[in-house]
Amino acid sequence: MGARTKTESRLRRKKRIMRRIRGTADRPRLSVFRTSRHIYAQIIDDGSGKTLVDASSLSLEIRERIAGRGGNKKGAVAVGELLAKRATERGIKKVVFDRNGFLYHGRIKVLADAAREKGLLF
């Protein structure tokens, strides 16, 4: 029971969260992952195991707007907006938010707020 690394702590939180969260066909799961340089988000139907929509700070539409700096809040806002836009085009309105063990703070919160503003419900 020694000291845990940040990654170990995040994975423990993720395991606890995933016991309760499941994406269905009518309410898929919005999963977020972040690194120090980029942020990624995808909407997943866990029943079929398929990714329905994705967006990341590496996407061409976003790269032009943020000039390759996806690891900040500006990049997170752009990813959230693009993901919500793509989701509404595919007819997805409601999702279950999966923060993937990351704390609901900073870039994760900004991405969620941007997606909500553009029409996703969670």
Side-chain angles (χ1 to χ4, degrees):
M1 287 284 179
R4 292 188 180 87
T5 64
K6 281 184 178 183
T7 305
E8 288 171 341
S9 297
R10 182 185 73 80
L11 292 176
R12 287 172 58 89
R13 283 191 302 271
K14 178 181 177 174
K15 199 159 51 165
R16 268 197 319 265
I17 293 166
M18 290 308 292
R19 284 187 216 143
R20 295 176 305 215
I21 295 178
R22 286 286 175 258
T24 62
D26 53 315
R27 199 171 169 118
R29 175 170 55 101
L30 190 166
S31 178
V32 178
F33 182 75
R34 69 175 174 84
T35 63
S36 59
R37 290 185 176 203
H38 297 286
I39 191 157
Y40 311 85
Q42 56 185 344
I43 297 179
I44 306 162
D45 176 6
D46 288 322
S48 64
K50 296 197 176 189
T51 298
L52 307 174
V53 180
D54 72 327
S56 76
S57 56
L58 294 171
S59 302
L60 291 176
E61 301 103 290
I62 295 175
R63 265 193 182 163
E64 297 164 357
R65 290 189 354 210
I66 61 174
R69 303 263 317 149
N72 56 19
K73 288 183 181 181
K74 184 178 176 185
V77 168
V79 171
E81 290 174 350
L82 179 64
L83 185 78
K85 178 182 155 216
R86 289 180 177 175
T88 52
E89 287 172 359
R90 300 264 326 248
I92 301 169
K93 296 268 189 247
K94 293 183 176 183
V95 294
V96 178
F97 190 68
D98 173 17
R99 57 190 174 89
N100 225 348
F102 295 104
L103 299 179
Y104 188 77
H105 176 73
R107 289 184 284 156
I108 302 294
K109 183 178 186 310
V110 168
L111 186 143
D113 291 341
R116 278 192 193 105
E117 285 177 21
K118 291 295 180 180
L120 279 183
L121 300 173
F122 55 93

